[in-house]
Amino acid sequence: MGLKLGVLGIDHGHIFGMLAGMQAQGCTCAQYWTDGPAVTEDKFNSVFPDVAKVSDRRAILESDADMILISAVPADRAALAIEAMEAGKDVMVDKPGCTTLEQLDAIRDCVARTGRIWSVNFSERFQVPAAAKASELVAQGAVGRVIQVVTLAPHKQNLKTRPDWFFERERYGGILVDIGSHQVDQFLHYTGSTEARVAHALVENTTLPQHPGFQDFGEMTLIGDGGHGYLRLDWFTPDGLPTWGDGRLFILGTEGSIECRKYTDIGQPHRTDNLYLVNGRENAHIDCREVELPYFRQLVDDVQTRGYSAAPQEHTFLTMQIALEAQMKAEQND
């Protein structure tokens, strides 16, 4: 049986995948709230016509909802998540789950105090079939012990559709916190690291001097207790690409390697979810478009059984901690 949901904040388009993924598991959602106008609102009302808007978020916090989905402006997500957890609700929040270490500490304290689940939807892993297949192959030992993870995460700027907060460093959190948290999640997951440190971090604004708080390039090098990582983020996807970014994941193991070309395959007819595996037995392209995405199913089960099969709580905390530390290190180096 599905969960009852409520939505606090629809400022980022990831809310569509978050809510649709939960609805596919039999969950229902009656109400949403947003703090002022959101660029997504017309589309949200069209896609989810049965979800009614409320003017006071207390109507959702005091409802019988089991879980609250949050896709507000990044800087506001931590406070909303804490409100929801203190009201007895579990939470799924869009990435980044918070934008400062102080917010992360407050979330840790709230989880410990309330026993609620704080799940950050790292959609570049949780909602990508090729990434799910890579998890299966790594768990099966297809590439041996993972030594290094490299992620490349280019994005299109789409400036005409961006709200003001998109350009404000204190509101979106910085490039290594925002889209970088996706990449830290993948690094920790595929290397199996439970500890990590930031060896190098850099951020730049090279194209939009009129928006001094914007960062269009970032990179970090991580050293974990399970492997090494290089993670690159940018807003330089050219218009010739038929999608928002040529996101790639490279997993190097002692006995083979995996490359995921997640969202397209350059120079070929547009096709998503390509995985390339090379090891001692195989040299293969695997079409992953039909691979199951377990995150939403597991999260529903976690809420019902009080488990952490979708993502260990400590993994989620560590992901945000490393992303925040990398952002701070990069800006200290400026």
Side-chain angles (χ1 to χ4, degrees):
M1 184 176 179
L3 309 175
K4 293 182 179 179
L5 309 173
V7 173
L8 297 181
I10 60 170
D11 295 270
H12 196 291
H14 285 160
I15 189 59
F16 294 98
M18 293 163 64
L19 182 51
M22 295 298 279
Q23 287 180 332
Q25 299 301 317
C27 299
T28 59
C29 184
Q31 297 175 318
Y32 81 95
W33 169 88
T34 187
D35 185 12
V39 296
T40 60
E41 194 155 9
D42 288 345
K43 181 180 176 182
F44 187 89
N45 291 330
S46 175
V47 174
F48 304 112
D50 297 329
V51 183
K53 183 178 182 178
V54 298
S55 60
D56 188 338
R57 66 179 179 272
R58 286 177 296 183
I60 295 173
L61 294 170
E62 296 170 4
S63 73
D64 61 351
D66 303 295
M67 170 167 270
I68 304 298
L69 310 187
I70 298 172
S71 191
V73 175
D76 299 336
R77 293 173 187 171
L80 292 171
I82 289 170
E83 271 193 333
M85 289 187 285
E86 289 180 339
K89 318 297 186 186
D90 294 309
V91 169
M92 182 216 294
V93 61
D94 186 14
K95 66 79 220 164
C98 54
T99 56
T100 69
L101 286 171
E102 291 76 17
Q103 289 180 356
L104 180 59
D105 287 343
I107 290 166
R108 286 181 186 268
D109 290 344
C110 185
V111 168
R113 185 172 67 253
T114 64
R116 295 293 99 192
I117 293 169
W118 182 68
S119 182
V120 178
N121 183 350
F122 298 114
S123 55
E124 289 194 27
R125 176 164 69 92
F126 295 155
Q127 293 179 233
V128 175
K133 184 64 175 180
S135 295
E136 293 178 18
L137 291 169
V138 168
Q140 293 165 3
V143 296
R145 179 176 63 83
V146 174
I147 300 170
Q148 187 201 38
V149 168
V150 173
T151 64
L152 306 181
H155 289 61
K156 279 187 179 176
Q157 291 183 358
N158 291 328
L159 297 182
K160 293 181 180 180
T161 66
R162 300 296 184 179
D164 290 344
W165 62 260
F166 178 78
F167 303 99
E168 298 171 5
R169 161 66 181 82
E170 297 308 312
R171 299 293 279 154
Y172 74 86
I175 192 171
L176 299 185
V177 169
D178 182 16
I179 54 179
S181 59
H182 279 303
Q183 321 314 320
V184 176
D185 161 71
Q186 292 171 87
F187 162 76
L188 294 174
H189 172 72
Y190 292 113
T191 63
S193 293
T194 57
E195 298 177 7
R197 65 180 177 89
V198 181
H200 161 76
L202 179 146
V203 296
E204 290 181 348
N205 177 0
T206 62
T207 60
L208 294 178
Q210 68 273 33
H211 296 292
F214 186 64
Q215 297 166 353
D216 55 20
F217 179 85
E219 65 180 4
M220 64 181 104
T221 303
L222 304 181
I223 300 174
D225 56 353
H228 312 292
Y230 172 76
L231 318 177
R232 193 198 80 198
L233 319 311
D234 70 75
W235 289 98
F236 295 140
T237 295
D239 290 340
L241 198 74
T243 187
W244 58 266
D246 178 26
R248 301 203 187 193
L249 165 68
F250 301 85
I251 302 172
L252 173 67
T254 55
E255 298 174 26
S257 64
I258 291 169
E259 178 185 351
C260 294
R261 302 180 190 176
K262 297 178 176 182
Y263 310 114
T264 193
D265 202 351
I266 289 178
Q268 307 296 324
H270 181 47
R271 179 182 63 191
T272 63
D273 291 292
N274 306 279
L275 186 148
Y276 297 88
L277 170 67
V278 181
N279 60 21
R281 304 173 302 280
E282 295 182 81
N283 175 24
H285 167 260
I286 301 174
D287 183 345
C288 300
R289 286 174 288 182
E290 301 303 317
V291 172
E292 183 212 0
L293 296 171
Y295 171 73
F296 296 106
R297 170 179 53 78
Q298 291 173 334
L299 188 59
V300 170
D301 184 67
D302 288 343
V303 172
Q304 294 171 335
T305 65
R306 311 315 297 163
Y308 285 99
S309 61
Q313 188 67 81
E314 286 302 319
H315 167 90
T316 306
F317 288 150
L318 182 61
T319 296
M320 288 312 311
Q321 177 184 325
I322 296 300
L324 290 160
E325 290 175 351
Q327 186 73 44
M328 293 173 61
K329 184 180 182 72
E331 293 175 344
Q332 289 166 357
N333 292 338
D334 282 353

